[in-house]
Amino acid sequence: MLIIESRTNNSYLIAPSIFPRSKLQSLESSKKLKISYEEFEGVENIYYGRGYVQLTWWRSYAEASLRLKNNFDLLTSPDLVLTREISYRIMSEGMRNGTIFANGHTLIQYFCGAHTDYIGARHIVNGCDKADNIARIARAFEKCLLHVLKPEIKDI
């Protein structure tokens, strides 16, 4: 079964098991091989924020499944995003490659060598929401980590 998400025109190959039986029967009887995202009839509400980056929306769950190569298990069992391994893999993939949730933003754009931009890095996850507060916490955390690694460092 091929799903076309009409908003982005992305295509996803989907296992029939995630469709309501009535929808699947009507598709089979019409020999329709493509259905639009809108034909999912409200399934979107099960793809609410989960995991370390609060993955949301059907598109993000579909893309995460593709990138993690897990046969669309995240669409059929969205609570898998709550597991540490899957949540970490989603966060790592998105932050390193700008995919899934990151809208093209990557860690290397904001952290490279001595360059650190904690406020800008907030664009990776959730735009600029609370960027100043999160940057303050991140700088304090960085300071603690550096002190443990190099106790002679007094101030950053």
Side-chain angles (χ1 to χ4, degrees):
M1 179 74 50
L2 184 66
I3 302 295
I4 304 296
E5 184 184 20
S6 62
R7 286 179 274 175
T8 62
N9 212 23
N10 288 336
S11 301
Y12 303 101
L13 185 62
I14 305 294
S17 60
I18 71 168
F19 289 96
R21 177 162 278 153
S22 61
K23 174 59 77 179
L24 189 58
Q25 287 169 343
S26 71
L27 289 170
E28 288 172 345
S29 66
S30 68
K31 306 229 185 297
K32 192 172 182 182
L33 296 177
K34 295 180 181 179
I35 75 166
S36 71
Y37 171 80
E38 281 72 24
E39 290 178 86
F40 255 83
E41 295 179 358
V43 177
E44 184 68 65
N45 65 7
I46 67 170
Y47 301 108
Y48 57 82
R50 292 179 177 89
Y52 296 149
V53 295
Q54 291 296 289
L55 190 68
T56 54
W57 307 112
W58 181 87
R59 177 192 62 79
S60 297
Y61 280 76
E63 186 176 352
S65 282
L66 281 172
R67 302 246 175 224
L68 274 51
K69 297 179 174 73
N70 73 354
N71 299 319
F72 289 97
D73 289 347
L74 301 181
L75 287 178
T76 57
S77 303
D79 281 342
L80 286 173
V81 174
L82 295 170
T83 66
R84 283 184 275 190
E85 179 189 352
I86 298 293
S87 191
Y88 174 80
R89 289 178 61 204
I90 289 168
M91 181 179 66
S92 176
E93 166 65 28
M95 290 181 157
R96 285 182 299 109
N97 300 312
T99 59
I100 306 173
F101 58 87
N103 298 312
H105 296 275
T106 61
L107 281 174
I108 201 159
Q109 291 173 277
Y110 303 101
F111 304 98
C112 186
H115 172 71
T116 59
D117 179 5
Y118 287 109
I119 291 176
R122 186 67 178 127
H123 285 92
I124 299 171
V125 182
N126 250 353
C128 292
D129 183 44
K130 301 180 182 173
D132 290 330
N133 190 39
I134 291 169
R136 183 183 52 73
I137 294 166
R139 284 187 202 101
F141 186 66
E142 178 187 37
K143 189 174 182 177
C144 290
L145 288 174
L146 289 173
H147 181 71
V148 168
L149 295 173
K150 295 183 179 181
E152 67 276 4
I153 296 176
K154 298 291 184 216
D155 196 24
I156 296 175

